[in-house]
mmCIF file of all heavy atoms in Angstrom:
data_model
loop_
_atom_site.group_PDB
_atom_site.id
_atom_site.type_symbol
_atom_site.label_atom_id
_atom_site.label_comp_id
_atom_site.label_asym_id
_atom_site.label_seq_id
_atom_site.Cartn_x
_atom_site.Cartn_y
_atom_site.Cartn_z
ATOM 1 N N THR A 45 67.786 136.977 115.538
ATOM 2 C CA THR A 45 68.003 137.860 116.680
ATOM 3 C C THR A 45 68.654 137.167 117.875
ATOM 4 O O THR A 45 69.311 137.820 118.673
ATOM 5 C CB THR A 45 66.672 138.486 117.153
ATOM 6 O OG1 THR A 45 65.751 137.434 117.429
ATOM 7 C CG2 THR A 45 66.089 139.379 116.077
ATOM 8 N N THR A 46 68.486 135.846 117.987
ATOM 9 C CA THR A 46 69.021 135.109 119.137
ATOM 10 C C THR A 46 70.094 134.139 118.656
ATOM 11 O O THR A 46 69.774 133.132 118.009
ATOM 12 C CB THR A 46 67.905 134.325 119.860
ATOM 13 O OG1 THR A 46 66.843 135.212 120.184
ATOM 14 C CG2 THR A 46 68.442 133.671 121.124
ATOM 15 N N PRO A 47 71.348 134.419 118.936
ATOM 16 C CA PRO A 47 72.403 133.543 118.422
ATOM 17 C C PRO A 47 72.396 132.167 119.072
ATOM 18 O O PRO A 47 71.966 132.014 120.217
ATOM 19 C CB PRO A 47 73.692 134.304 118.762
ATOM 20 C CG PRO A 47 73.323 135.239 119.848
ATOM 21 C CD PRO A 47 71.873 135.572 119.678
ATOM 22 N N VAL A 48 72.885 131.204 118.323
ATOM 23 C CA VAL A 48 73.163 129.886 118.898
ATOM 24 C C VAL A 48 74.471 130.000 119.667
ATOM 25 O O VAL A 48 75.471 130.492 119.150
ATOM 26 C CB VAL A 48 73.278 128.820 117.782
ATOM 27 C CG1 VAL A 48 73.805 127.509 118.337
ATOM 28 C CG2 VAL A 48 71.919 128.608 117.120
ATOM 29 N N THR A 49 74.447 129.561 120.902
ATOM 30 C CA THR A 49 75.640 129.696 121.750
ATOM 31 C C THR A 49 76.149 128.359 122.267
ATOM 32 O O THR A 49 77.251 128.312 122.825
ATOM 33 C CB THR A 49 75.333 130.598 122.964
ATOM 34 O OG1 THR A 49 74.217 130.036 123.682
ATOM 35 C CG2 THR A 49 74.994 132.012 122.516
ATOM 36 N N ALA A 50 75.372 127.304 122.114
ATOM 37 C CA ALA A 50 75.779 126.021 122.680
ATOM 38 C C ALA A 50 75.121 124.874 121.935
ATOM 39 O O ALA A 50 74.071 125.044 121.302
ATOM 40 C CB ALA A 50 75.384 125.963 124.166
ATOM 41 N N ALA A 51 75.760 123.720 122.019
ATOM 42 C CA ALA A 51 75.174 122.518 121.434
ATOM 43 C C ALA A 51 73.829 122.227 122.087
ATOM 44 O O ALA A 51 73.618 122.531 123.257
ATOM 45 C CB ALA A 51 76.114 121.337 121.616
ATOM 46 N N GLY A 52 72.932 121.664 121.301
ATOM 47 C CA GLY A 52 71.619 121.317 121.801
ATOM 48 C C GLY A 52 70.560 122.359 121.504
ATOM 49 O O GLY A 52 69.378 122.107 121.748
ATOM 50 N N GLN A 53 70.981 123.508 120.989
ATOM 51 C CA GLN A 53 69.999 124.549 120.682
ATOM 52 C C GLN A 53 69.481 124.378 119.256
ATOM 53 O O GLN A 53 70.224 123.961 118.354
ATOM 54 C CB GLN A 53 70.630 125.937 120.853
ATOM 55 C CG GLN A 53 71.017 126.225 122.302
ATOM 56 C CD GLN A 53 71.772 127.542 122.481
ATOM 57 O OE1 GLN A 53 72.303 128.107 121.527
ATOM 58 N NE2 GLN A 53 71.821 128.017 123.716
ATOM 59 N N SER A 54 68.219 124.704 119.053
ATOM 60 C CA SER A 54 67.642 124.595 117.716
ATOM 61 C C SER A 54 68.119 125.754 116.847
ATOM 62 O O SER A 54 68.485 126.821 117.352
ATOM 63 C CB SER A 54 66.119 124.551 117.782
ATOM 64 O OG SER A 54 65.625 125.731 118.383
ATOM 65 N N VAL A 55 68.099 125.525 115.538
ATOM 66 C CA VAL A 55 68.617 126.510 114.588
ATOM 67 C C VAL A 55 67.492 126.951 113.661
ATOM 68 O O VAL A 55 66.972 126.156 112.877
ATOM 69 C CB VAL A 55 69.790 125.928 113.775
ATOM 70 C CG1 VAL A 55 70.301 126.949 112.752
ATOM 71 C CG2 VAL A 55 70.916 125.493 114.704
ATOM 72 N N GLY A 56 67.130 128.228 113.757
ATOM 73 C CA GLY A 56 66.085 128.783 112.904
ATOM 74 C C GLY A 56 66.634 129.552 111.728
ATOM 75 O O GLY A 56 65.893 129.893 110.801
ATOM 76 N N ARG A 57 67.942 129.838 111.772
ATOM 77 C CA ARG A 57 68.545 130.603 110.668
ATOM 78 C C ARG A 57 70.029 130.289 110.596
ATOM 79 O O ARG A 57 70.724 130.298 111.617
ATOM 80 C CB ARG A 57 68.348 132.107 110.911
ATOM 81 C CG ARG A 57 68.839 133.030 109.787
ATOM 82 C CD ARG A 57 68.607 134.485 110.193
ATOM 83 N NE ARG A 57 68.872 135.441 109.156
ATOM 84 C CZ ARG A 57 67.991 135.866 108.255
ATOM 85 N NH1 ARG A 57 66.761 135.384 108.278
ATOM 86 N NH2 ARG A 57 68.312 136.749 107.337
ATOM 87 N N ILE A 58 70.507 129.990 109.402
ATOM 88 C CA ILE A 58 71.944 129.857 109.166
ATOM 89 C C ILE A 58 72.305 130.795 108.021
ATOM 90 O O ILE A 58 71.676 130.770 106.955
ATOM 91 C CB ILE A 58 72.360 128.396 108.883
ATOM 92 C CG1 ILE A 58 73.861 128.318 108.578
ATOM 93 C CG2 ILE A 58 71.537 127.754 107.795
ATOM 94 C CD1 ILE A 58 74.416 126.898 108.556
ATOM 95 N N LEU A 59 73.294 131.617 108.284
ATOM 96 C CA LEU A 59 73.659 132.641 107.309
ATOM 97 C C LEU A 59 74.425 132.028 106.143
ATOM 98 O O LEU A 59 75.244 131.121 106.311
ATOM 99 C CB LEU A 59 74.501 133.731 107.969
ATOM 100 C CG LEU A 59 73.842 134.493 109.121
ATOM 101 C CD1 LEU A 59 74.784 135.565 109.668
ATOM 102 C CD2 LEU A 59 72.525 135.123 108.671
ATOM 103 N N ASP A 60 74.169 132.577 104.980
ATOM 104 C CA ASP A 60 74.864 132.194 103.756
ATOM 105 C C ASP A 60 76.176 132.981 103.691
ATOM 106 O O ASP A 60 76.174 134.213 103.683
ATOM 107 C CB ASP A 60 73.963 132.528 102.565
ATOM 108 C CG ASP A 60 74.694 132.469 101.239
ATOM 109 O OD1 ASP A 60 75.742 131.800 101.149
ATOM 110 O OD2 ASP A 60 74.206 133.101 100.277
#
Side-chain angles (χ1 to χ4, degrees):
Chain A
T45 55
T46 307
V48 170
T49 57
Q53 295 174 342
S54 60
V55 178
R57 184 181 187 89
I58 177 169
L59 300 181
D60 167 22

